[in-house]
PDB file of all heavy atoms in Angstrom:
ATOM      1  N   GLU A 305      56.013 -15.626  12.627  1.00 96.00           N
ATOM      2  CA  GLU A 305      54.848 -14.850  12.233  1.00 96.00           C
ATOM      3  C   GLU A 305      54.734 -14.857  10.721  1.00 96.00           C
ATOM      4  O   GLU A 305      55.733 -14.994  10.020  1.00 96.00           O
ATOM      5  CB  GLU A 305      54.937 -13.417  12.748  1.00 96.00           C
ATOM      6  CG  GLU A 305      56.066 -12.613  12.156  1.00 96.00           C
ATOM      7  CD  GLU A 305      56.185 -11.219  12.743  1.00 96.00           C
ATOM      8  OE1 GLU A 305      55.585 -10.949  13.806  1.00 96.00           O
ATOM      9  OE2 GLU A 305      56.869 -10.392  12.126  1.00 96.00           O
ATOM     10  N   VAL A 306      53.515 -14.742  10.243  1.00 96.00           N
ATOM     11  CA  VAL A 306      53.254 -14.728   8.810  1.00 96.00           C
ATOM     12  C   VAL A 306      53.276 -13.288   8.324  1.00 96.00           C
ATOM     13  O   VAL A 306      52.757 -12.393   8.989  1.00 96.00           O
ATOM     14  CB  VAL A 306      51.878 -15.365   8.500  1.00 96.00           C
ATOM     15  CG1 VAL A 306      51.476 -15.131   7.058  1.00 96.00           C
ATOM     16  CG2 VAL A 306      51.911 -16.842   8.795  1.00 96.00           C
ATOM     17  N   ARG A 307      53.886 -13.109   7.179  1.00 93.00           N
ATOM     18  CA  ARG A 307      53.882 -11.812   6.508  1.00 93.00           C
ATOM     19  C   ARG A 307      53.483 -12.043   5.058  1.00 93.00           C
ATOM     20  O   ARG A 307      54.027 -12.913   4.394  1.00 93.00           O
ATOM     21  CB  ARG A 307      55.265 -11.162   6.553  1.00 93.00           C
ATOM     22  CG  ARG A 307      55.714 -10.822   7.943  1.00 93.00           C
ATOM     23  CD  ARG A 307      57.037 -10.134   7.909  1.00 93.00           C
ATOM     24  NE  ARG A 307      57.542  -9.934   9.254  1.00 93.00           N
ATOM     25  CZ  ARG A 307      58.771  -9.559   9.526  1.00 93.00           C
ATOM     26  NH1 ARG A 307      59.623  -9.354   8.535  1.00 93.00           N
ATOM     27  NH2 ARG A 307      59.158  -9.390  10.764  1.00 93.00           N
ATOM     28  N   TYR A 308      52.538 -11.264   4.604  1.00 90.00           N
ATOM     29  CA  TYR A 308      52.141 -11.331   3.209  1.00 90.00           C
ATOM     30  C   TYR A 308      52.836 -10.190   2.486  1.00 90.00           C
ATOM     31  O   TYR A 308      52.663  -9.032   2.848  1.00 90.00           O
ATOM     32  CB  TYR A 308      50.614 -11.210   3.076  1.00 90.00           C
ATOM     33  CG  TYR A 308      49.901 -12.375   3.698  1.00 90.00           C
ATOM     34  CD1 TYR A 308      49.436 -12.321   5.006  1.00 90.00           C
ATOM     35  CD2 TYR A 308      49.703 -13.549   2.979  1.00 90.00           C
ATOM     36  CE1 TYR A 308      48.785 -13.403   5.583  1.00 90.00           C
ATOM     37  CE2 TYR A 308      49.056 -14.638   3.545  1.00 90.00           C
ATOM     38  CZ  TYR A 308      48.605 -14.546   4.845  1.00 90.00           C
ATOM     39  OH  TYR A 308      47.972 -15.626   5.404  1.00 90.00           O
ATOM     40  N   GLN A 309      53.657 -10.542   1.522  1.00 85.00           N
ATOM     41  CA  GLN A 309      54.394  -9.513   0.799  1.00 85.00           C
ATOM     42  C   GLN A 309      54.650  -9.957  -0.635  1.00 85.00           C
ATOM     43  O   GLN A 309      54.532 -11.121  -0.969  1.00 85.00           O
ATOM     44  CB  GLN A 309      55.698  -9.171   1.517  1.00 85.00           C
ATOM     45  CG  GLN A 309      56.640 -10.332   1.728  1.00 85.00           C
ATOM     46  CD  GLN A 309      57.774  -9.991   2.680  1.00 85.00           C
ATOM     47  OE1 GLN A 309      57.546  -9.437   3.742  1.00 85.00           O
ATOM     48  NE2 GLN A 309      58.983 -10.318   2.283  1.00 85.00           N
ATOM     49  N   ARG A 310      55.019  -9.011  -1.423  1.00 77.00           N
ATOM     50  CA  ARG A 310      55.314  -9.275  -2.824  1.00 77.00           C
ATOM     51  C   ARG A 310      56.803  -9.553  -2.955  1.00 77.00           C
ATOM     52  O   ARG A 310      57.609  -9.048  -2.194  1.00 77.00           O
ATOM     53  CB  ARG A 310      54.947  -8.054  -3.661  1.00 77.00           C
ATOM     54  CG  ARG A 310      53.548  -7.554  -3.351  1.00 77.00           C
ATOM     55  CD  ARG A 310      52.497  -7.752  -4.387  1.00 77.00           C
ATOM     56  NE  ARG A 310      52.885  -7.681  -5.740  1.00 77.00           N
ATOM     57  CZ  ARG A 310      52.788  -6.607  -6.519  1.00 77.00           C
ATOM     58  NH1 ARG A 310      52.303  -5.494  -6.021  1.00 77.00           N
ATOM     59  NH2 ARG A 310      53.129  -6.667  -7.776  1.00 77.00           N
ATOM     60  N   ASP A 311      57.158 -10.356  -3.945  1.00 69.00           N
ATOM     61  CA  ASP A 311      58.570 -10.601  -4.228  1.00 69.00           C
ATOM     62  C   ASP A 311      59.249  -9.286  -4.568  1.00 69.00           C
ATOM     63  O   ASP A 311      58.693  -8.463  -5.299  1.00 69.00           O
ATOM     64  CB  ASP A 311      58.736 -11.558  -5.419  1.00 69.00           C
ATOM     65  CG  ASP A 311      58.381 -12.981  -5.067  1.00 69.00           C
ATOM     66  OD1 ASP A 311      58.515 -13.341  -3.889  1.00 69.00           O
ATOM     67  OD2 ASP A 311      57.985 -13.727  -5.974  1.00 69.00           O
ATOM     68  N   LYS A 312      60.443  -9.089  -4.067  1.00 64.00           N
ATOM     69  CA  LYS A 312      61.161  -7.833  -4.318  1.00 64.00           C
ATOM     70  C   LYS A 312      61.406  -7.598  -5.802  1.00 64.00           C
ATOM     71  O   LYS A 312      61.311  -6.484  -6.289  1.00 64.00           O
ATOM     72  CB  LYS A 312      62.473  -7.829  -3.541  1.00 64.00           C
ATOM     73  CG  LYS A 312      62.261  -7.744  -2.060  1.00 64.00           C
ATOM     74  CD  LYS A 312      63.540  -7.829  -1.288  1.00 64.00           C
ATOM     75  CE  LYS A 312      63.195  -7.787   0.187  1.00 64.00           C
ATOM     76  NZ  LYS A 312      64.135  -8.408   1.031  1.00 64.00           N
ATOM     77  N   GLU A 313      61.723  -8.672  -6.536  1.00 60.00           N
ATOM     78  CA  GLU A 313      62.020  -8.490  -7.958  1.00 60.00           C
ATOM     79  C   GLU A 313      60.774  -8.199  -8.796  1.00 60.00           C
ATOM     80  O   GLU A 313      60.865  -7.736  -9.914  1.00 60.00           O
ATOM     81  CB  GLU A 313      62.770  -9.705  -8.533  1.00 60.00           C
ATOM     82  CG  GLU A 313      62.019 -11.002  -8.447  1.00 60.00           C
ATOM     83  CD  GLU A 313      62.309 -11.798  -7.183  1.00 60.00           C
ATOM     84  OE1 GLU A 313      62.936 -11.257  -6.259  1.00 60.00           O
ATOM     85  OE2 GLU A 313      61.891 -12.965  -7.135  1.00 60.00           O
ATOM     86  N   HIS A 314      59.575  -8.451  -8.233  1.00 55.00           N
ATOM     87  CA  HIS A 314      58.334  -8.194  -8.957  1.00 55.00           C
ATOM     88  C   HIS A 314      57.461  -7.167  -8.236  1.00 55.00           C
ATOM     89  O   HIS A 314      56.270  -7.072  -8.510  1.00 55.00           O
ATOM     90  CB  HIS A 314      57.539  -9.489  -9.130  1.00 55.00           C
ATOM     91  CG  HIS A 314      58.282 -10.551  -9.875  1.00 55.00           C
ATOM     92  ND1 HIS A 314      58.577 -10.452 -11.207  1.00 55.00           N
ATOM     93  CD2 HIS A 314      58.819 -11.717  -9.468  1.00 55.00           C
ATOM     94  CE1 HIS A 314      59.242 -11.517 -11.600  1.00 55.00           C
ATOM     95  NE2 HIS A 314      59.414 -12.303 -10.551  1.00 55.00           N
ATOM     96  N   ALA A 315      58.032  -6.395  -7.355  1.00 58.00           N
ATOM     97  CA  ALA A 315      57.247  -5.475  -6.527  1.00 58.00           C
ATOM     98  C   ALA A 315      56.529  -4.409  -7.355  1.00 58.00           C
ATOM     99  O   ALA A 315      55.459  -3.944  -6.972  1.00 58.00           O
ATOM    100  CB  ALA A 315      58.144  -4.811  -5.490  1.00 58.00           C
ATOM    101  N   HIS A 316      57.090  -4.037  -8.489  1.00 64.00           N
ATOM    102  CA  HIS A 316      56.482  -2.986  -9.305  1.00 64.00           C
ATOM    103  C   HIS A 316      55.397  -3.522 -10.247  1.00 64.00           C
ATOM    104  O   HIS A 316      54.684  -2.755 -10.869  1.00 64.00           O
ATOM    105  CB  HIS A 316      57.560  -2.277 -10.118  1.00 64.00           C
ATOM    106  CG  HIS A 316      58.268  -3.187 -11.085  1.00 64.00           C
ATOM    107  ND1 HIS A 316      59.190  -4.106 -10.671  1.00 64.00           N
ATOM    108  CD2 HIS A 316      58.140  -3.336 -12.426  1.00 64.00           C
ATOM    109  CE1 HIS A 316      59.630  -4.777 -11.735  1.00 64.00           C
ATOM    110  NE2 HIS A 316      59.009  -4.337 -12.804  1.00 64.00           N
ATOM    111  N   GLU A 317      55.248  -4.833 -10.327  1.00 63.00           N
ATOM    112  CA  GLU A 317      54.265  -5.457 -11.211  1.00 63.00           C
ATOM    113  C   GLU A 317      53.004  -5.807 -10.434  1.00 63.00           C
ATOM    114  O   GLU A 317      53.058  -6.097  -9.249  1.00 63.00           O
ATOM    115  CB  GLU A 317      54.839  -6.738 -11.821  1.00 63.00           C
ATOM    116  CG  GLU A 317      56.076  -6.529 -12.643  1.00 63.00           C
ATOM    117  CD  GLU A 317      56.735  -7.841 -13.063  1.00 63.00           C
ATOM    118  OE1 GLU A 317      56.108  -8.913 -12.905  1.00 63.00           O
ATOM    119  OE2 GLU A 317      57.873  -7.783 -13.533  1.00 63.00           O
ATOM    120  N   PRO A 318      51.854  -5.789 -11.118  1.00 68.00           N
ATOM    121  CA  PRO A 318      50.637  -6.216 -10.423  1.00 68.00           C
ATOM    122  C   PRO A 318      50.690  -7.709 -10.121  1.00 68.00           C
ATOM    123  O   PRO A 318      51.343  -8.473 -10.821  1.00 68.00           O
ATOM    124  CB  PRO A 318      49.518  -5.900 -11.420  1.00 68.00           C
ATOM    125  CG  PRO A 318      50.173  -5.732 -12.740  1.00 68.00           C
ATOM    126  CD  PRO A 318      51.615  -5.385 -12.494  1.00 68.00           C
ATOM    127  N   GLY A 319      49.997  -8.096  -9.114  1.00 70.00           N
ATOM    128  CA  GLY A 319      49.974  -9.504  -8.725  1.00 70.00           C
ATOM    129  C   GLY A 319      49.654  -9.635  -7.259  1.00 70.00           C
ATOM    130  O   GLY A 319      49.543  -8.655  -6.536  1.00 70.00           O
ATOM    131  N   ARG A 320      49.550 -10.861  -6.816  1.00 78.00           N
ATOM    132  CA  ARG A 320      49.178 -11.056  -5.426  1.00 78.00           C
ATOM    133  C   ARG A 320      50.397 -11.300  -4.541  1.00 78.00           C
ATOM    134  O   ARG A 320      51.465 -11.681  -5.016  1.00 78.00           O
ATOM    135  CB  ARG A 320      48.181 -12.169  -5.270  1.00 78.00           C
ATOM    136  CG  ARG A 320      48.540 -13.433  -5.954  1.00 78.00           C
ATOM    137  CD  ARG A 320      47.410 -14.413  -5.840  1.00 78.00           C
ATOM    138  NE  ARG A 320      48.015 -15.729  -5.757  1.00 78.00           N
ATOM    139  CZ  ARG A 320      47.365 -16.845  -5.753  1.00 78.00           C
ATOM    140  NH1 ARG A 320      46.072 -16.840  -5.791  1.00 78.00           N
ATOM    141  NH2 ARG A 320      47.996 -17.981  -5.688  1.00 78.00           N
ATOM    142  N   SER A 321      50.176 -11.106  -3.275  1.00 83.00           N
ATOM    143  CA  SER A 321      51.226 -11.307  -2.278  1.00 83.00           C
ATOM    144  C   SER A 321      51.459 -12.790  -2.051  1.00 83.00           C
ATOM    145  O   SER A 321      50.590 -13.616  -2.308  1.00 83.00           O
ATOM    146  CB  SER A 321      50.829 -10.658  -0.956  1.00 83.00           C
ATOM    147  OG  SER A 321      50.645  -9.286  -1.125  1.00 83.00           O
ATOM    148  N   ARG A 322      52.628 -13.098  -1.534  1.00 89.00           N
ATOM    149  CA  ARG A 322      52.974 -14.473  -1.179  1.00 89.00           C
ATOM    150  C   ARG A 322      53.135 -14.561   0.335  1.00 89.00           C
ATOM    151  O   ARG A 322      53.338 -13.567   1.006  1.00 89.00           O
ATOM    152  CB  ARG A 322      54.277 -14.874  -1.869  1.00 89.00           C
ATOM    153  CG  ARG A 322      54.121 -14.930  -3.376  1.00 89.00           C
ATOM    154  CD  ARG A 322      55.418 -15.194  -4.083  1.00 89.00           C
ATOM    155  NE  ARG A 322      55.976 -16.480  -3.675  1.00 89.00           N
ATOM    156  CZ  ARG A 322      57.139 -16.941  -4.115  1.00 89.00           C
ATOM    157  NH1 ARG A 322      57.866 -16.248  -4.948  1.00 89.00           N
ATOM    158  NH2 ARG A 322      57.590 -18.107  -3.709  1.00 89.00           N
ATOM    159  N   VAL A 323      53.065 -15.779   0.839  1.00 92.00           N
ATOM    160  CA  VAL A 323      53.182 -16.011   2.280  1.00 92.00           C
ATOM    161  C   VAL A 323      54.661 -16.178   2.638  1.00 92.00           C
ATOM    162  O   VAL A 323      55.344 -17.034   2.087  1.00 92.00           O
ATOM    163  CB  VAL A 323      52.411 -17.277   2.704  1.00 92.00           C
ATOM    164  CG1 VAL A 323      52.565 -17.536   4.189  1.00 92.00           C
ATOM    165  CG2 VAL A 323      50.953 -17.166   2.321  1.00 92.00           C
ATOM    166  N   TYR A 324      55.115 -15.356   3.550  1.00 95.00           N
ATOM    167  CA  TYR A 324      56.482 -15.436   4.071  1.00 95.00           C
ATOM    168  C   TYR A 324      56.408 -15.646   5.577  1.00 95.00           C
ATOM    169  O   TYR A 324      55.421 -15.288   6.212  1.00 95.00           O
ATOM    170  CB  TYR A 324      57.247 -14.141   3.769  1.00 95.00           C
ATOM    171  CG  TYR A 324      57.640 -13.995   2.322  1.00 95.00           C
ATOM    172  CD1 TYR A 324      56.718 -13.606   1.364  1.00 95.00           C
ATOM    173  CD2 TYR A 324      58.939 -14.260   1.914  1.00 95.00           C
ATOM    174  CE1 TYR A 324      57.078 -13.478   0.029  1.00 95.00           C
ATOM    175  CE2 TYR A 324      59.320 -14.131   0.588  1.00 95.00           C
ATOM    176  CZ  TYR A 324      58.382 -13.740  -0.346  1.00 95.00           C
ATOM    177  OH  TYR A 324      58.745 -13.622  -1.659  1.00 95.00           O
ATOM    178  N   PHE A 325      57.475 -16.192   6.120  1.00 97.00           N
ATOM    179  CA  PHE A 325      57.533 -16.451   7.562  1.00 97.00           C
ATOM    180  C   PHE A 325      58.764 -15.774   8.150  1.00 97.00           C
ATOM    181  O   PHE A 325      59.844 -15.815   7.558  1.00 97.00           O
ATOM    182  CB  PHE A 325      57.594 -17.955   7.829  1.00 97.00           C
ATOM    183  CG  PHE A 325      56.343 -18.670   7.436  1.00 97.00           C
ATOM    184  CD1 PHE A 325      56.159 -19.143   6.142  1.00 97.00           C
ATOM    185  CD2 PHE A 325      55.323 -18.865   8.355  1.00 97.00           C
ATOM    186  CE1 PHE A 325      54.999 -19.796   5.776  1.00 97.00           C
ATOM    187  CE2 PHE A 325      54.159 -19.521   7.994  1.00 97.00           C
ATOM    188  CZ  PHE A 325      53.993 -19.984   6.702  1.00 97.00           C
ATOM    189  N   ALA A 326      58.588 -15.170   9.310  1.00 96.00           N
ATOM    190  CA  ALA A 326      59.688 -14.521  10.018  1.00 96.00           C
ATOM    191  C   ALA A 326      59.685 -14.994  11.464  1.00 96.00           C
ATOM    192  O   ALA A 326      58.623 -15.202  12.052  1.00 96.00           O
ATOM    193  CB  ALA A 326      59.540 -12.999   9.975  1.00 96.00           C
ATOM    194  N   PRO A 327      60.856 -15.168  12.059  1.00 95.00           N
ATOM    195  CA  PRO A 327      60.906 -15.607  13.458  1.00 95.00           C
ATOM    196  C   PRO A 327      60.430 -14.497  14.395  1.00 95.00           C
ATOM    197  O   PRO A 327      60.653 -13.323  14.140  1.00 95.00           O
ATOM    198  CB  PRO A 327      62.385 -15.915  13.682  1.00 95.00           C
ATOM    199  CG  PRO A 327      63.108 -15.104  12.663  1.00 95.00           C
ATOM    200  CD  PRO A 327      62.187 -14.977  11.487  1.00 95.00           C
ATOM    201  N   THR A 328      59.773 -14.893  15.458  1.00 93.00           N
ATOM    202  CA  THR A 328      59.387 -13.938  16.496  1.00 93.00           C
ATOM    203  C   THR A 328      60.509 -13.879  17.530  1.00 93.00           C
ATOM    204  O   THR A 328      61.442 -14.696  17.507  1.00 93.00           O
ATOM    205  CB  THR A 328      58.083 -14.384  17.186  1.00 93.00           C
ATOM    206  OG1 THR A 328      58.319 -15.651  17.811  1.00 93.00           O
ATOM    207  CG2 THR A 328      56.932 -14.474  16.202  1.00 93.00           C
ATOM    208  N   ASP A 329      60.411 -12.941  18.447  1.00 89.00           N
ATOM    209  CA  ASP A 329      61.388 -12.884  19.539  1.00 89.00           C
ATOM    210  C   ASP A 329      61.366 -14.178  20.344  1.00 89.00           C
ATOM    211  O   ASP A 329      62.406 -14.692  20.737  1.00 89.00           O
ATOM    212  CB  ASP A 329      61.113 -11.692  20.460  1.00 89.00           C
ATOM    213  CG  ASP A 329      61.421 -10.357  19.801  1.00 89.00           C
ATOM    214  OD1 ASP A 329      62.175 -10.340  18.799  1.00 89.00           O
ATOM    215  OD2 ASP A 329      60.897  -9.329  20.274  1.00 89.00           O
ATOM    216  N   LEU A 330      60.158 -14.698  20.577  1.00 88.00           N
ATOM    217  CA  LEU A 330      60.026 -15.959  21.305  1.00 88.00           C
ATOM    218  C   LEU A 330      60.716 -17.087  20.543  1.00 88.00           C
ATOM    219  O   LEU A 330      61.403 -17.920  21.136  1.00 88.00           O
ATOM    220  CB  LEU A 330      58.550 -16.289  21.532  1.00 88.00           C
ATOM    221  CG  LEU A 330      58.238 -17.584  22.275  1.00 88.00           C
ATOM    222  CD1 LEU A 330      58.815 -17.562  23.688  1.00 88.00           C
ATOM    223  CD2 LEU A 330      56.734 -17.815  22.311  1.00 88.00           C
ATOM    224  N   GLY A 331      60.554 -17.116  19.234  1.00 90.00           N
ATOM    225  CA  GLY A 331      61.211 -18.126  18.416  1.00 90.00           C
ATOM    226  C   GLY A 331      62.719 -18.058  18.517  1.00 90.00           C
ATOM    227  O   GLY A 331      63.404 -19.078  18.619  1.00 90.00           O
ATOM    228  N   ARG A 332      63.251 -16.838  18.480  1.00 89.00           N
ATOM    229  CA  ARG A 332      64.709 -16.673  18.615  1.00 89.00           C
ATOM    230  C   ARG A 332      65.181 -17.102  20.004  1.00 89.00           C
ATOM    231  O   ARG A 332      66.235 -17.691  20.155  1.00 89.00           O
ATOM    232  CB  ARG A 332      65.106 -15.228  18.327  1.00 89.00           C
ATOM    233  CG  ARG A 332      64.952 -14.845  16.870  1.00 89.00           C
ATOM    234  CD  ARG A 332      65.397 -13.399  16.634  1.00 89.00           C
ATOM    235  NE  ARG A 332      65.074 -12.945  15.307  1.00 89.00           N
ATOM    236  CZ  ARG A 332      65.789 -13.186  14.221  1.00 89.00           C
ATOM    237  NH1 ARG A 332      66.891 -13.896  14.311  1.00 89.00           N
ATOM    238  NH2 ARG A 332      65.416 -12.718  13.040  1.00 89.00           N
ATOM    239  N   GLU A 333      64.377 -16.790  21.018  1.00 84.00           N
ATOM    240  CA  GLU A 333      64.749 -17.154  22.392  1.00 84.00           C
ATOM    241  C   GLU A 333      64.792 -18.661  22.586  1.00 84.00           C
ATOM    242  O   GLU A 333      65.682 -19.175  23.262  1.00 84.00           O
ATOM    243  CB  GLU A 333      63.777 -16.534  23.394  1.00 84.00           C
ATOM    244  CG  GLU A 333      64.010 -15.070  23.629  1.00 84.00           C
ATOM    245  CD  GLU A 333      63.046 -14.488  24.643  1.00 84.00           C
ATOM    246  OE1 GLU A 333      62.700 -15.194  25.622  1.00 84.00           O
ATOM    247  OE2 GLU A 333      62.651 -13.333  24.462  1.00 84.00           O
ATOM    248  N   ILE A 334      63.838 -19.359  22.001  1.00 83.00           N
ATOM    249  CA  ILE A 334      63.796 -20.809  22.214  1.00 83.00           C
ATOM    250  C   ILE A 334      65.020 -21.481  21.610  1.00 83.00           C
ATOM    251  O   ILE A 334      65.504 -22.483  22.112  1.00 83.00           O
ATOM    252  CB  ILE A 334      62.495 -21.436  21.694  1.00 83.00           C
ATOM    253  CG1 ILE A 334      62.303 -22.797  22.352  1.00 83.00           C
ATOM    254  CG2 ILE A 334      62.484 -21.574  20.193  1.00 83.00           C
ATOM    255  CD1 ILE A 334      60.941 -23.376  22.192  1.00 83.00           C
ATOM    256  N   LEU A 335      65.553 -20.918  20.535  1.00 83.00           N
ATOM    257  CA  LEU A 335      66.764 -21.497  19.934  1.00 83.00           C
ATOM    258  C   LEU A 335      67.991 -21.274  20.813  1.00 83.00           C
ATOM    259  O   LEU A 335      68.957 -22.022  20.722  1.00 83.00           O
ATOM    260  CB  LEU A 335      67.008 -20.904  18.550  1.00 83.00           C
ATOM    261  CG  LEU A 335      66.032 -21.357  17.480  1.00 83.00           C
ATOM    262  CD1 LEU A 335      66.346 -20.661  16.165  1.00 83.00           C
ATOM    263  CD2 LEU A 335      66.041 -22.857  17.306  1.00 83.00           C
ATOM    264  N   ALA A 336      67.936 -20.272  21.660  1.00 80.00           N
ATOM    265  CA  ALA A 336      69.069 -19.971  22.528  1.00 80.00           C
ATOM    266  C   ALA A 336      69.046 -20.771  23.827  1.00 80.00           C
ATOM    267  O   ALA A 336      69.999 -20.720  24.599  1.00 80.00           O
ATOM    268  CB  ALA A 336      69.084 -18.475  22.851  1.00 80.00           C
ATOM    269  N   THR A 337      67.976 -21.534  24.073  1.00 72.00           N
ATOM    270  CA  THR A 337      67.879 -22.283  25.319  1.00 72.00           C
ATOM    271  C   THR A 337      68.716 -23.552  25.271  1.00 72.00           C
ATOM    272  O   THR A 337      68.968 -24.111  24.224  1.00 72.00           O
ATOM    273  CB  THR A 337      66.421 -22.663  25.632  1.00 72.00           C
ATOM    274  OG1 THR A 337      65.927 -23.463  24.576  1.00 72.00           O
ATOM    275  CG2 THR A 337      65.576 -21.436  25.837  1.00 72.00           C
TER     276      THR A 337
END
């Protein structure tokens, strides 16, 4: 899944979010097959 978030080290500064990716439950399950 896509998550738009700010870098932790720059969270207090103005600026735009970056695109991050996180595994879904389905993604984790497929690796276990």
Side-chain angles (χ1 to χ4, degrees):
E305 65 183 15
V306 169
R307 295 183 186 168
Y308 295 94
Q309 58 191 48
R310 311 251 326 264
D311 287 332
K312 291 176 182 154
E313 61 268 11
H314 301 291
H316 62 285
E317 300 172 12
R320 50 186 213 186
S321 299
R322 294 175 61 182
V323 178
Y324 286 78
F325 293 87
T328 62
D329 290 341
L330 180 62
R332 290 181 189 278
E333 283 181 36
I334 199 166
L335 289 178
T337 60

